[in-house]
Each structure stands twice: as structure tokens, then as C-alpha cells.
């Protein structure tokens, strides 16, 4: 019974298009994150949110915009898609951002940009 | 520069063998360390963590890890591997208020 739901599981997009990756967590956590995993850069941290506020942004491109409509939601909007954006995007959450809290991961959305 | 390094990209062992996966870090201040496992096509699953106290920590499925401040290491070990332990293992470092930063991963292949 997955507690972090990511939709869709697979996504194929055309270069230049825009897509939204969905993430919902049912763990009652206050912190949520996005990570990206590709062959070039394994498991790269992108964003962290706490109580629906952006806390840390390690993504250089403004084409990546997280959106938090509810406390347990953290979607990722990607605009002007490029083939280099092809990767598996993992959503994660933790009780809070303090030290020593376990991070839980979703199963990922595999994005392919053609 | 703060870094997490896993020196072995790939390790092959036979079922029943022991295995040690190395993790070294370069961080200042108070940190916590953890290990995660990723089976093919799945997300990451938590194995164990260390923050303070006994430097040897026990995790799920017979895994343990040992923290060494002098060596800046947090190596993962298992005494007897099973075929189901074939996966990618990630070491991660956390620092108060900041997201986990992961190493590049070690792929473990367990042969029958």
C-alpha cells in the first residue's frame, strides 16, 4: 500500500512541451522533496518544501517549478522540455526537515523526452 | 566542498558471501548518515541511519553499518548475502534543515 503516490508512472513528452508530475503523500509529513535520477547524474536533489514553503532549490533552471496546492501535495511542473530532462523523478517526504528524520520515497515517474 | 563518495561502482559477490560497501564523506558540523537500497525499477527504501551513540547500527535484513569519525566513513556490511540483496545501494548524508545528499551508488550483484 504505497504511502507516496506519484503519477504517472511513465511519461513520454515531445521536446518543447510542458508536463506536470504529480506527488501526494499520506504519511502526514511536513517536508517534501523532489529528486532526479538519470544515467548522467544519479539521484540529484532538486527541491525541498516544508509546510508548503520552498526551503531549498538546487535546480539551476527555472523551467522546473514545484507546486504545492495542499500540505501533502508537491507537484513538479516542467516547461519547455528538452531531451536532457529525460530521467526518473522521485518525490520524497519526511516528518520534518530537522536532523535524523527518515526520508521516504515514491516509486518515481520515468520521463522520456523525444 | 561537501561530498559523499562511494568508491565502488559495482560489486559482485556469491550468495552466502559477506559484503562491505564503502562510503566516505566530507562534511563539516553535525551530520547524520544513512543507507538506502534501490531494487531495479523501484524507489529507494531506507535501510539504516546513524546520528549519535553506538557507531555500529543495525538495519533491516541483516545489514549493519559502522560510523568512523576519524576515517570519515560509514561503511555498510552484511555477513551473508542473499540473491534478493541484488540492488543499488546509496549512502546519504543529512545536515540539520537540509535535504539528504546521496552518493553515486554501488550496484551489488549476487550470483547463485
Amino acid at each position: 500500500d504505497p504511502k507516496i503516490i506519484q503519477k504517472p508512472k511513465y511519461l513520454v513528452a515531445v521536446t518543447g512541451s510542458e508536463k506536470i508530475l504529480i506527488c501526494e503523500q499520506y504519511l502526514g509529513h511536513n517536508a517534501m522533496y523532489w529528486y532526479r535520477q538519470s544515467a548522467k547524474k544519479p539521484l540529484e536533489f532538486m527541491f525541498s518544501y516544508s509546510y508548503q514553503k520552498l526551503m531549498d532549490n538546487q535546480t539551476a533552471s527555472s523551467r522546473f517549478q514545484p507546486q504545492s496546492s495542499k500540505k501533502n501535495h508537491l507537484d513538479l511542473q516542467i516547461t519547455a522540455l528538452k531531451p536532457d530532462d529525460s530521467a526518473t523523478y522521485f518525490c520524497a517526504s519526511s516528518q520534518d526537515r530537522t536532523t535524523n528524520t527518515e526520508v521516504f520515497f515514491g516509486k518515481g515517474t520515468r520521463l522520456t523526452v523525444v | 566542498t561537501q561530498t559523499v563518495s562511494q568508491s565502488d561502482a559495482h560489486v559482485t559477490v556469491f550468495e552466502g558471501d559477506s559484503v562491505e560497501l564503502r562510503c566516505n564523506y566530507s562534511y563539516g558540523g553535525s551530520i547524520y548518515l544513512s543507507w538506502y537500497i534501490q531494487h531495479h525499477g523501484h524507489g529507494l527504501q531506507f535501510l539504516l541511519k546513524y546520528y549519535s551513540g553506538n557507531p555500529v547500527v543495525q538495519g533491516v535484513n541483516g545489514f549493519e553499518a559502522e560510523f568512523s569519525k576519524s576515517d570519515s566513513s560509514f561503511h555498510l556490511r552484511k555477513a551473508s548475502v542473499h540473491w534478493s540483496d541484488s540492488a543499488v545501494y546509496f549512502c546519504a548524508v543529512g545536515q540539520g534543515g537540509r535535504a539528504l545528499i546521496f552518493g553515486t551508488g554501488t550496484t551489488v550483484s549476487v550470483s547463485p
Side-chain angles (χ1 to χ4, degrees):
Chain A
D1 184 23
K3 300 298 184 183
I4 301 180
I5 297 173
Q6 290 189 243
K7 299 176 185 176
K9 187 173 182 179
Y10 301 100
L11 184 58
V12 179
V14 175
T15 296
S17 67
E18 172 183 314
K19 293 293 180 186
I20 296 180
L21 281 55
I22 305 296
C23 177
E24 306 170 2
Q25 56 92 3
Y26 296 94
L27 293 162
H29 288 168
N30 299 311
M32 296 186 71
Y33 313 87
W34 277 102
Y35 285 83
R36 174 170 53 193
Q37 186 178 43
S38 66
K40 296 177 182 179
K41 291 184 179 181
L43 218 49
E44 175 188 17
F45 167 68
M46 300 178 73
F47 299 98
S48 70
Y49 265 64
S50 179
Y51 294 92
Q52 293 186 264
K53 292 183 179 178
L54 177 66
M55 304 305 293
D56 200 0
N57 177 358
Q58 295 293 325
T59 303
S61 173
S62 59
R63 295 186 299 107
F64 294 84
Q65 291 293 328
Q67 300 170 342
S68 182
S69 59
K70 298 179 185 179
K71 178 185 168 185
N72 68 326
H73 282 230
L74 186 63
D75 300 336
L76 181 64
Q77 179 186 42
I78 314 174
T79 58
L81 278 160
K82 302 177 180 181
D84 272 355
D85 297 331
S86 297
T88 299
Y89 291 81
F90 288 102
C91 177
S93 71
S94 62
Q95 184 60 47
D96 53 45
R97 292 175 64 249
T98 58
T99 301
N100 203 26
T101 54
E102 182 180 336
V103 179
F104 294 80
F105 284 79
K107 294 186 177 182
T109 292
R110 182 178 290 181
L111 172 65
T112 302
V113 183
V114 297
Chain B
T1 303
Q2 299 172 328
T3 61
V4 183
S5 64
Q6 294 180 244
S7 54
D8 299 315
H10 200 154
V11 171
T12 301
V13 291
F14 289 101
E15 198 164 21
D17 283 353
S18 63
V19 69
E20 179 177 85
L21 307 181
R22 292 176 292 190
C23 173
N24 291 88
Y25 63 90
S26 173
Y27 268 78
S30 178
I31 61 171
Y32 68 98
L33 297 143
S34 33
W35 277 94
Y36 284 77
I37 181 174
Q38 184 182 31
H39 287 102
H40 182 69
H42 292 271
L44 277 73
Q45 289 180 284
F46 174 80
L47 277 181
L48 48 74
K49 66 182 176 185
Y50 170 82
Y51 177 59
S52 64
N54 189 337
V56 179
V57 291
Q58 305 294 325
V60 297
N61 297 332
F63 286 97
E64 69 172 30
E66 183 168 3
F67 168 73
S68 170
K69 187 174 182 178
S70 60
D71 293 339
S72 297
S73 67
F74 189 56
H75 302 330
L76 180 71
R77 300 190 293 251
K78 186 169 182 177
S80 177
V81 296
H82 186 261
W83 64 266
S84 60
D85 294 326
S86 294
V88 182
Y89 292 78
F90 291 95
C91 179
V93 175
Q95 202 162 29
R98 310 206 63 174
L100 283 179
I101 301 300
F102 289 83
T104 51
T106 297
T107 300
V108 174
S109 299
V110 181
S111 300

